[in-house]
Amino acid sequence: MVAEGRHGSPHDVLGAHPDDGHVVVRALRPLAASVTVVADGVRTPMTHVTDGVWEAVLDVTDVPDYRLETTYDDGSPQLADDPYRFWPTLGETDLHLINEGRHEELWRVLGAHVRHYDGDPEEIVGTSFAVWAPKALGVRVKGDFTGWDGRLHPMRQLGTSGVWELFVPGVRGGATYKYEILGADERWRDKADPMASATQVPPETASRVFESTYDWDDAAWLEKRDARSAVRSPMSVYEVHLGSWRRRPDGSTYSYAELGGMLADYCTAMGFTHVELMPVMEHPFGGSWGYQVTSYYAPTSRFGDPDGFRALVDTLHQRDIGVILDWVPGHFPKDEFALARFDGGPLYEHPDPRRGDQPDWGTHVFDFGRNEVRNFLVANALYWVEEFHADGIRVDAVASMLYLDYSREDGEWLPNQYGGREHLEAMALLQETNAVVYRHHPGIVTVAEESTSWPGVTRPTSEGGLGFGFKWNMGWMHDSLQYIERESVHRPWHAGEITFSMAYAYSENYVLPISHDEVVHGKGSLLRKMPGDRWKQLANLRAYLAFMWSHPGKQLLFMGSEFAQESEWAESRELDWWLLEHSEHASVQRLVRDLNVVYTEHPALWSADQDHDGFTWLDGDAGDNLLAFVRRPDPDHSAAGPLVCVVNFGDAPVHDYRVGLPSAGDWAELINTDQHAYAGSGVVNGTVTGTGDAWQGQPDSAVLTVPPLGMVWLAPEPATSSGGTSARHRA
């Protein structure tokens, strides 16, 4: 059975065993011509017993420190250590926690780990392999260190845990490997390691042993991050697909380290506080954009090794830019080399296709109720925060996880134990993930892409909520885009599309997303959604972005939209950076930079996003295409003062518009999207002065001209000004 790879405990047969005053050594060398035991300078030839099993009897009473010398017909002798003389690398506590689904640092015990042991006369270096495959009849590890012959290294099963383990001396970082798994159907399958920390470059599918040597230099950032409240801090997020943000002139991709430096420079210049990276977890098909993950614990090797990704994050942190990672726990692809039917049958996926298959994407759905599967996912979220210092996790497609009937017709789904459509196990998984990650790192953020009205997405788990820090406001995105795509003459009859978001703005902690999903699959770029001629398209875009930045909630903008990308996004090529040679595109980029700068400088725009007192309508009807409102900071930032925001979604200027002011005095335009510097028509106000007339529920008011398809942000000027820092001066 050992030679066939079907023995659950090959160490009981192989290796060295005391026997009646002697020591018997057995080795598995199927193709060897001869095998010799070398111990304390004594060479003892081994005898072939059967099916590649060799045996020798040593005339000693205690097991010595020995090596095996193997000779093959076509080569010279090879001296190597014996994997079957080493103790297991997992303890009983590890196994108990794994089966309970409570091993929060699962990646430290499963997968491949280079280990260094004291030896005489020299250090012993090798790699421990451990994999969960409870229904397997046998598991073997093979790789470039075995000539991809799996027969050499059968693994042992550790009790009833379902974990198989083997320490292989001499295997170091860089080695490639897979597991051979014998299923109950008597079929051997080659599988990549679910816990691998590195992989080959796709389309190659092997896992890779990796030993990190990275030395972090972001302690100051982490300390600052953990000391602040994300909800009451500025957050302007730049969403990035690493493979298509920038490319070399020959079309090849940059490395993680190169991208980190360029991203840090760009985001610093543009004023973004965070980047959100579309999935960096390894995936076989680039056209999935990373959303069909096969190696949840490995950064994609397309741009370098895991330490390269660490360098990218570290570089951004040193420039005070946070890093949010997209995470996909809802489904996984059916590729045979990966998680699907891992040990011969459903393991990571739910066994019933009514819960285990995702019809929209042709993928499997995790079995969220199984302890070990839940553990795999919870630990994975923590892994990216612990090992790669991620500042946030954005969970993809949460609605597909929460509803058992998501994209399913009657008869195609199973109700929960109470007869409902809510996926209770998925809900519990999300709650546990958020609770665990926030307990370890209270300064990070978790964000849900949840497209329905599921209650309490950002409510604490202690109060029955899902426990996320933020939720994408898909309603705002859908409604506001639908509104802005209309010709201005039609907008007065659809005013609710641009104002309705304030009816529920405080129900959750929201992020306002204009993400990659809005600029692909025939939807066109953000610029191309805008109606009218060229000038109106650009003006609409500028006004829309300024409205987005001034609306309660954090904001996220997909790459390219900040300079009015013309074509819709394609993952196979870089953005059209050449457009910045044209002034109108450079002007939109300049506006986004100034929006970010003014946004971060003025707590009124971010410190009270969740407070009713932080927002007041002045003119919220939009029946004449005009909206006006006040943004106020929270009490801790009251000295910063309020902002008054007025937007005109009509294509003609509005003269002599009286707007209410929270206080008397002079109010300066911090932002006016119609400035010549932004390729506007130049309808600006500069400074306006309160007339002493109460208006719109405010104690004072001023008269101004609101530019066509434009937005104005006003802030009170100090009694004595030395020039100010308004956007009109920057531009």
Side-chain angles (χ1 to χ4, degrees):
M1 291 183 68
V2 170
E4 296 173 354
R6 303 170 59 92
H7 199 296
S9 184
H11 291 68
D12 290 349
V13 177
L14 303 176
H17 303 273
D19 181 30
D20 194 24
H22 301 281
V23 172
V24 178
V25 179
R26 299 186 190 92
L28 183 61
R29 295 290 189 274
L31 301 178
S34 66
V35 185
T36 301
V37 180
V38 180
D40 299 325
V42 177
R43 299 171 56 83
T44 305
M46 303 184 77
T47 301
H48 183 253
V49 179
T50 180
D51 296 327
V53 177
W54 297 73
E55 180 180 279
V57 177
L58 307 185
D59 191 19
V60 294
T61 56
D62 297 321
V63 175
D65 182 8
Y66 68 93
R67 301 293 184 271
L68 299 175
E69 183 183 87
T70 306
T71 302
Y72 297 93
D73 288 336
D74 58 351
S76 57
Q78 302 174 12
L79 187 66
D81 209 336
D82 184 6
Y84 298 93
R85 73 184 187 94
F86 291 90
W87 292 100
T89 53
L90 285 80
E92 290 299 324
T93 300
D94 291 319
L95 300 176
H96 174 77
L97 290 174
I98 290 170
N99 290 148
E100 288 286 315
R102 302 296 177 191
H103 204 306
E104 293 177 358
E105 296 184 338
L106 187 66
W107 68 91
R108 300 192 189 280
V109 293
L110 296 185
H113 299 276
V114 178
R115 301 188 186 275
H116 300 257
Y117 297 122
D118 292 337
D120 185 15
E122 60 184 18
E123 178 185 57
I124 298 170
V125 181
T127 297
S128 63
F129 297 92
V131 62
W132 178 62
K135 291 178 287 187
L137 301 179
V139 180
R140 306 188 290 210
V141 61
K142 66 180 181 179
D144 53 9
F145 48 90
T146 68
W148 293 99
D149 185 346
R151 294 174 297 172
L152 293 175
H153 291 323
M155 302 173 73
R156 62 180 153 199
Q157 189 171 21
L158 299 179
T160 59
S161 66
V163 175
W164 299 73
E165 182 270 352
L166 184 68
F167 174 75
V168 183
V171 177
R172 298 173 179 262
T176 54
Y177 68 99
K178 280 189 176 182
Y179 297 115
E180 281 187 345
I181 298 178
L182 180 62
D185 57 0
E186 298 291 333
R187 175 187 164 194
W188 285 98
R189 292 172 174 83
D190 285 0
K191 290 289 186 176
D193 187 351
M195 302 292 298
S197 60
T199 70
Q200 288 183 305
V201 179
E204 301 299 324
T205 59
S207 303
R208 189 178 295 278
V209 178
F210 185 78
E211 184 176 22
S212 176
T213 59
Y214 193 77
D215 187 12
W216 289 90
D217 195 22
D218 63 348
W221 164 264
L222 296 179
E223 181 179 1
K224 181 169 59 176
R225 179 197 73 185
D226 289 342
R228 68 187 176 200
S229 164
V231 173
R232 298 194 178 276
S233 299
M235 183 181 294
S236 180
V237 184
Y238 187 53
E239 188 187 21
V240 174
H241 177 262
L242 288 176
S244 59
W245 180 63
R246 285 189 183 275
R247 290 197 172 197
R248 294 190 176 96
D250 64 1
S252 62
T253 57
Y254 287 105
S255 69
Y256 282 125
E258 291 169 321
L259 287 165
M262 291 187 291
L263 264 177
D265 288 344
Y266 188 69
C267 291
T268 299
M270 290 296 296
F272 287 103
T273 65
H274 292 72
V275 297
E276 180 175 312
L277 303 180
M278 292 167 68
V280 297
M281 301 79 186
E282 191 61 271
H283 51 281
F285 176 48
S288 77
W289 313 333
Y291 290 99
Q292 294 201 6
V293 179
T294 48
S295 289
Y296 276 78
Y297 286 78
T300 178
S301 55
R302 290 169 172 84
F303 315 112
D305 64 26
D307 278 355
F309 183 64
R310 288 181 172 91
L312 179 149
V313 176
D314 201 357
T315 300
L316 288 162
H317 282 175
Q318 292 175 45
R319 301 288 288 276
D320 285 339
I321 299 165
V323 180
I324 300 170
L325 303 180
D326 275 12
W327 185 51
V328 192
H331 65 109
F332 60 91
K334 297 180 179 181
D335 298 70
E336 290 189 2
F337 75 89
L339 296 179
R341 300 184 64 84
F342 186 75
D343 59 0
L347 183 64
Y348 287 92
E349 65 269 42
H350 195 283
D352 191 316
R354 290 173 291 179
R355 287 197 184 178
D357 283 356
Q358 173 47 255
D360 276 356
W361 306 304
T363 52
H364 282 312
V365 177
F366 283 103
D367 187 355
F368 300 120
R370 183 162 189 166
N371 287 346
E372 296 91 342
V373 175
R374 188 185 72 246
N375 195 168
F376 174 82
L377 293 171
V378 173
N380 186 240
L382 184 61
Y383 169 78
W384 291 97
V385 177
E386 288 267 346
E387 292 293 320
F388 296 96
H389 293 198
D391 304 293
I393 299 291
R394 176 265 192 185
V395 183
D396 181 65
V398 171
S400 75
M401 301 173 65
L402 291 175
Y403 296 97
L404 293 166
D405 61 347
Y406 186 90
S407 292
R408 293 176 173 87
E409 302 296 331
D410 290 345
E412 296 178 348
W413 60 280
L414 291 176
N416 63 33
Q417 64 194 62
Y418 305 108
R421 61 197 284 254
E422 298 81 10
H423 199 322
L424 303 180
E425 292 83 4
M427 176 181 171
L429 167 77
L430 294 170
Q431 289 177 318
E432 183 178 353
T433 298
N434 284 315
V436 167
V437 173
Y438 275 116
R439 174 163 49 81
H440 284 269
H441 299 278
I444 62 95
V445 297
T446 59
V447 185
E449 186 214 2
E450 204 286 306
S451 56
T452 74
S453 57
W454 184 282
V457 172
T458 60
R459 188 185 306 148
T461 56
S462 60
E463 299 175 12
L466 295 182
F468 283 94
F470 292 94
K471 171 181 173 174
W472 272 20
N473 193 337
M474 309 295 280
W476 172 87
M477 179 272 299
H478 176 269
D479 290 348
S480 65
L481 284 179
Q482 187 167 280
Y483 175 85
I484 203 68
E485 289 175 18
R486 302 182 189 277
E487 294 282 355
S488 60
V489 68
H490 301 302
R491 288 172 180 167
W493 285 270
H494 302 275
E497 293 172 346
I498 199 68
T499 61
F500 179 64
S501 57
M502 287 310 303
Y504 60 87
Y506 308 109
S507 61
E508 304 278 5
N509 302 333
Y510 282 116
V511 173
L512 311 179
I514 298 297
S515 74
H516 63 277
D517 280 329
E518 308 316 311
V519 294
V520 290
H521 299 323
K523 296 179 182 178
S525 67
L526 188 57
L527 175 65
R528 290 300 185 182
K529 297 179 190 297
M530 304 299 155
D533 59 24
R534 179 68 168 181
W535 189 92
K536 289 180 181 179
Q537 284 184 322
L538 290 161
N540 269 299
L541 176 58
R542 295 193 300 268
Y544 180 71
L545 291 172
F547 178 75
M548 175 180 173
W549 256 252
S550 59
H551 190 288
K554 315 309 180 185
Q555 59 273 339
L556 174 142
L557 188 66
F558 183 59
M559 64 183 198
S561 297
E562 82 278 9
F563 61 81
Q565 170 96 1
E566 293 274 5
S567 59
E568 70 176 25
W569 171 61
E571 87 283 344
S572 59
R573 61 180 180 84
E574 75 167 9
L575 298 177
D576 295 331
W577 294 101
W578 57 268
L579 289 172
L580 289 170
E581 298 172 10
H582 300 275
S583 61
E584 63 266 32
H585 293 276
S587 297
V588 174
Q589 185 190 51
R590 185 180 300 114
L591 172 65
V592 172
R593 177 200 69 188
D594 290 346
L595 290 174
N596 276 329
V597 172
V598 175
Y599 168 79
T600 54
E601 288 179 350
H602 288 268
L605 293 171
W606 45 261
S607 67
D609 282 333
Q610 306 314 123
D611 301 339
H612 288 272
D613 293 340
F615 179 95
T616 303
W617 281 118
L618 300 176
D619 184 350
D621 178 58
D624 54 1
N625 287 332
L626 280 168
L627 291 173
F629 49 88
V630 178
R631 295 296 311 274
R632 291 183 174 87
D634 67 6
D636 291 340
H637 299 88
S638 57
L643 268 67
V644 171
C645 304
V646 185
V647 62
N648 175 17
F649 286 120
D651 55 10
V654 177
H655 300 284
D656 300 322
Y657 179 76
R658 182 174 293 276
V659 64
L661 299 176
S663 61
D666 294 334
W667 287 67
E669 283 185 326
L670 296 182
I671 291 290
N672 183 323
T673 65
D674 199 47
Q675 291 183 79
H676 288 307
Y678 304 139
S681 64
V683 177
V684 298
N685 297 274
T687 298
V688 298
T689 303
T691 62
D693 301 305
W695 191 253
Q696 296 173 331
Q698 302 302 305
D700 208 332
S701 62
V703 176
L704 68 154
T705 299
V706 189
L709 299 173
M711 189 167 195
V712 172
W713 295 0
L714 300 171
E717 283 197 341
T720 300
S721 176
S722 59
T725 59
S726 70
R728 68 180 190 277
H729 293 126
R730 287 192 204 91

